[in-house]
């Protein structure tokens, strides 16, 4: 019933910027937190950034100072502004949400389908 849909990925040159968006659709009771993870070939999926409904943020050391996570609670949407992109940022980026649908008694994690970000000259 609840789905997360990412958008905004693509191909950019080193030093460029992208803004990812993830919208949670469906009938949602509440959201504790949303975030972004990424996975590159041959590498374990890693946390990129998270944000709680209250605005508390967490970032991976590798993206601090370059990426900014934000959210619009009213729209159940989280954003990831990525600046000064590096080839090492190339990965599939997955949206994650800790939320409760109206059909459930408990909060649980949901994942988006992933959006490709490629940083290359």
């Amino acid at each position: 019933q609840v789905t997360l849909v990412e958008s905004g990925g693509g191909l950019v040159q080193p030093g460029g910027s992208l803004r990812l968006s993830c919208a949670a659709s469906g009938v949602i009771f509440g959201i504790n937190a949303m975030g972004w993870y990424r996975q590159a070939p041959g590498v374990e999926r890693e946390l990129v950034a998270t944000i709680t409904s209250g605005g508390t943020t967490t970032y991976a050391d590798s993206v601090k100072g370059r990426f900014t996570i934000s959210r619009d609670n009213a729209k159940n949407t989280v954003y990831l502004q990525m600046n000064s992109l590096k080839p090492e940022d190339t990965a599939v980026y997955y949206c994650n949400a800790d939320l409760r649908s109206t059909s459930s008694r408990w909060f649980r994690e949901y994942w988006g389908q992933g959006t490709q970000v490629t940083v290359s000259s």
Side-chain angles (χ1 to χ4, degrees), residues 35-110:
W36 293 93
Y37 291 72
R38 67 186 182 187
Q39 186 167 26
V43 181
E44 289 278 293
R45 184 175 297 188
E46 66 171 346
L47 170 72
V48 177
T50 62
I51 185 168
T52 69
S53 60
T56 301
T57 59
T58 300
Y59 294 95
D61 289 341
S62 60
V63 306
K64 285 182 178 178
R66 299 188 297 120
F67 292 9
T68 302
I69 189 169
S70 60
R71 84 281 182 264
D72 185 334
N73 289 343
K75 297 180 179 179
N76 295 328
T77 299
V78 64
Y79 307 94
L80 185 67
Q81 179 66 46
M82 305 185 294
N83 298 326
S84 301
L85 283 162
K86 305 174 180 179
E88 307 92 90
D89 296 317
T90 297
V92 177
Y93 284 69
Y94 295 92
C95 179
N96 171 269
D98 177 21
L99 62 81
R100 176 188 169 187
S101 70
T102 56
S103 64
S104 176
R105 294 180 179 272
W106 309 281
F107 286 81
R108 58 155 290 186
E109 287 192 329
Y110 290 82

Side-chain angles (χ1 to χ4, degrees), residues 18-40:
L18 285 174
R19 191 189 193 205
L20 305 183
S21 177
C22 173
S25 63
V27 184
I28 298 170
F29 178 82
I31 300 176
N32 285 332
M34 299 184 74
W36 293 93
Y37 291 72
R38 67 186 182 187
Q39 186 167 26

Side-chain angles (χ1 to χ4, degrees), residues 9-13 18 85-87 89-91 93 116-120:
L11 174 64
V12 297
Q13 297 189 89
L18 285 174
L85 283 162
K86 305 174 180 179
D89 296 317
T90 297
Y93 284 69
Q116 177 71 48
V117 172
T118 302
V119 185
S120 179

